Amino acid sequence: MKWFTLLKKENPNLEIIINGGISKISDIKKHLHFCDGVMIGRAIYQNPYFLTEIEKDIFNFKKTPLRQEIAENILQYLEKEVKKGTKVNHIMRHTVGLYHGQIGSKKWKRYLSDNMMARDSDFKKAKHIMEIVQNNEKANQNL
Ligand SMILES: Cc1cc2nc3c(=O)[nH]c(=O)nc-3n(C[C@H](O)[C@H](O)[C@H](O)COP(=O)(O)O)c2cc1C
């Protein structure tokens, strides 16, 4: 028995959340047999859409958003935040991995880095982002 399994067994009142290098649904499920939670850092940062898999497969969500819907929501959020003085790049740098593993991932990253990653990036550039999103969605549907 692994030491952390024993830790929970001998201290059932302790809340134990495991983390470090966990990046697959099957591994999350395995860990949940003996831990109270699983924390995921780098895998989500690299591929934030993995969160929708977690919603479906771990939390049994019936419906999860499409990347296009996520992008639309980000833009609405960005618009509100920019009005409050938040920098465009502070938000958009966290969306770099939205198309991780998909057709169009490079285009998405390039658009962000050319237009939205500078300290003085302008919100107006964000409006063209939906063109990239729509092209990517089409390309991935035609697979
Ligand atoms: C983008 C990012 C931000 C993080 N921020 C924090 C933090 O604020 N405090 C902290 O204790 N750990 C932070 N971590 C570390 C994670 O909690 C975790 O310990 C580490 O990433 C190892 O898990 P992983 O292999 O799933 O990434 C962060 C990790 C990432 C990737």
Side-chain angles (χ1 to χ4, degrees):
M1 191 179 282
K2 287 189 175 149
W3 67 268
F4 40 82
T5 318
L6 207 58
L7 192 68
K8 179 69 186 174
K9 212 171 167 195
E10 291 183 358
N11 304 276
N13 295 329
L14 272 188
E15 186 180 39
I16 298 183
I17 316 281
I18 195 165
N19 85 327
I22 300 163
S23 61
K24 285 194 248 137
I25 293 288
S26 56
D27 290 338
I28 296 174
K29 285 186 174 166
K30 264 186 234 160
H31 288 302
L32 286 174
H33 287 303
F34 55 81
C35 287
D36 302 295
V38 176
M39 184 162 63
I40 299 164
R42 288 166 296 174
I44 297 293
Y45 204 71
Q46 189 185 27
N47 176 20
Y49 201 68
F50 183 43
L51 285 169
T52 64
E53 266 180 67
I54 293 173
E55 284 180 331
K56 268 189 275 190
D57 297 343
I58 306 292
F59 294 105
N60 299 318
F61 279 32
K62 296 270 177 294
K63 196 178 175 301
T64 51
L66 300 170
R67 287 180 178 79
Q68 184 169 347
E69 293 167 323
I70 292 170
E72 281 161 4
N73 286 337
I74 290 169
L75 288 187
Q76 282 176 19
Y77 174 70
L78 183 67
E79 188 164 21
K80 263 194 247 159
E81 282 299 314
V82 165
K83 282 183 189 148
K84 289 193 248 167
T86 307
K87 300 266 183 225
V88 168
N89 68 323
H90 285 180
I91 292 176
M92 295 313 287
R93 68 183 175 203
H94 301 293
T95 72
V96 169
L98 183 62
Y99 280 91
H100 179 83
Q102 299 283 297
I103 295 176
S105 174
K106 271 194 192 150
K107 281 187 192 152
W108 172 257
K109 286 188 199 167
R110 196 175 315 124
Y111 189 83
L112 290 180
S113 89
D114 289 350
N115 299 288
M116 315 205 72
M117 293 303 191
R119 278 164 64 186
D120 57 350
S121 289
D122 188 345
F123 175 71
K124 281 181 207 141
K125 298 271 174 101
K127 298 201 168 135
H128 299 291
I129 240 178
M130 290 316 290
E131 287 165 28
I132 311 269
V133 167
Q134 270 141 22
N135 287 339
N136 282 1
E137 294 300 325
K138 265 189 227 150
N140 283 292
Q141 270 163 20
N142 293 337
L143 278 181

Coordinates of all heavy atoms in Angstrom, one line a residue, residues 19-22 39-43 45, ligand 1:
N19 N -1.6 16.0 -5.8 CA -1.2 16.7 -7.0 C 0.2 16.3 -7.5 O 0.9 15.7 -6.8 CB -1.4 18.2 -6.9 CG -0.2 18.9 -6.3 OD1 0.5 18.3 -5.5 ND2 0.0 20.1 -6.7
G20 N 0.5 16.8 -8.7 CA 1.8 16.6 -9.3 C 1.8 15.6 -10.4 O 1.6 14.4 -10.2
G21 N 1.8 16.1 -11.7 CA 2.0 15.3 -12.9 C 0.7 14.5 -13.2 O 0.8 13.5 -14.0
I22 N -0.4 14.9 -12.7 CA -1.7 14.1 -13.1 C -2.3 14.8 -14.3 O -2.6 16.0 -14.3 CB -2.6 14.1 -11.9 CG1 -1.9 13.4 -10.7 CG2 -3.9 13.4 -12.3 CD1 -2.6 13.6 -9.4
M39 N -5.7 17.8 -7.5 CA -5.4 19.1 -8.0 C -4.6 19.0 -9.3 O -3.6 18.2 -9.3 CB -4.7 19.9 -7.0 CG -4.5 21.4 -7.3 SD -4.1 22.4 -5.9 CE -2.5 21.7 -5.3
I40 N -4.9 19.8 -10.3 CA -4.2 19.7 -11.6 C -3.7 21.1 -11.9 O -4.5 22.0 -12.0 CB -5.1 19.1 -12.7 CG1 -5.5 17.7 -12.2 CG2 -4.4 19.0 -14.0 CD1 -6.6 17.1 -13.0
G41 N -2.5 21.2 -12.2 CA -1.9 22.5 -12.5 C -1.5 22.6 -14.0 O -2.2 23.1 -14.8
R42 N -0.3 22.0 -14.3 CA 0.3 22.2 -15.6 C -0.6 21.7 -16.7 O -0.7 22.2 -17.8 CB 1.7 21.6 -15.7 CG 2.7 22.4 -14.9 CD 3.9 21.7 -14.6 NE 3.7 20.5 -13.8 CZ 4.6 19.6 -13.6 NH1 5.8 19.7 -14.1 NH2 4.3 18.5 -12.8
A43 N -1.3 20.5 -16.5 CA -2.1 19.9 -17.6 C -3.2 20.9 -18.0 O -3.5 20.9 -19.2 CB -2.6 18.6 -17.1
Y45 N -3.1 24.2 -17.5 CA -2.5 25.4 -18.1 C -2.2 25.1 -19.6 O -2.4 26.0 -20.5 CB -1.3 25.8 -17.3 CG -1.1 27.3 -17.5 CD1 -1.9 28.2 -16.9 CD2 0.0 27.7 -18.3 CE1 -1.7 29.5 -17.1 CE2 0.2 29.1 -18.5 CZ -0.7 30.0 -17.9 OH -0.5 31.3 -18.1
Ligands
LIG1 C1 -0.2 28.2 -13.7 C2 0.1 27.6 -12.4 C3 -0.1 28.4 -11.3 C4 0.2 27.9 -10.0 N1 0.0 28.7 -8.9 C5 0.3 28.2 -7.7 C6 0.1 28.9 -6.5 O1 -0.4 30.1 -6.6 N2 0.4 28.4 -5.3 C7 0.8 27.1 -5.2 O2 1.1 26.7 -4.1 N3 1.1 26.3 -6.3 C8 0.8 26.8 -7.5 N4 1.0 26.1 -8.6 C9 1.6 24.7 -8.4 C10 0.5 23.7 -8.5 O3 -0.4 23.9 -7.4 C11 1.0 22.3 -8.4 O4 1.6 22.0 -7.2 C12 2.1 22.0 -9.5 O5 1.8 22.6 -10.7 C13 2.3 20.5 -9.6 O6 1.1 19.9 -10.1 P1 0.9 19.7 -11.7 O7 1.9 18.6 -12.1 O8 -0.5 19.2 -11.9 O9 1.2 20.9 -12.4 C14 0.7 26.6 -9.9 C15 0.9 25.8 -11.0 C16 0.6 26.3 -12.3 C17 0.8 25.5 -13.5

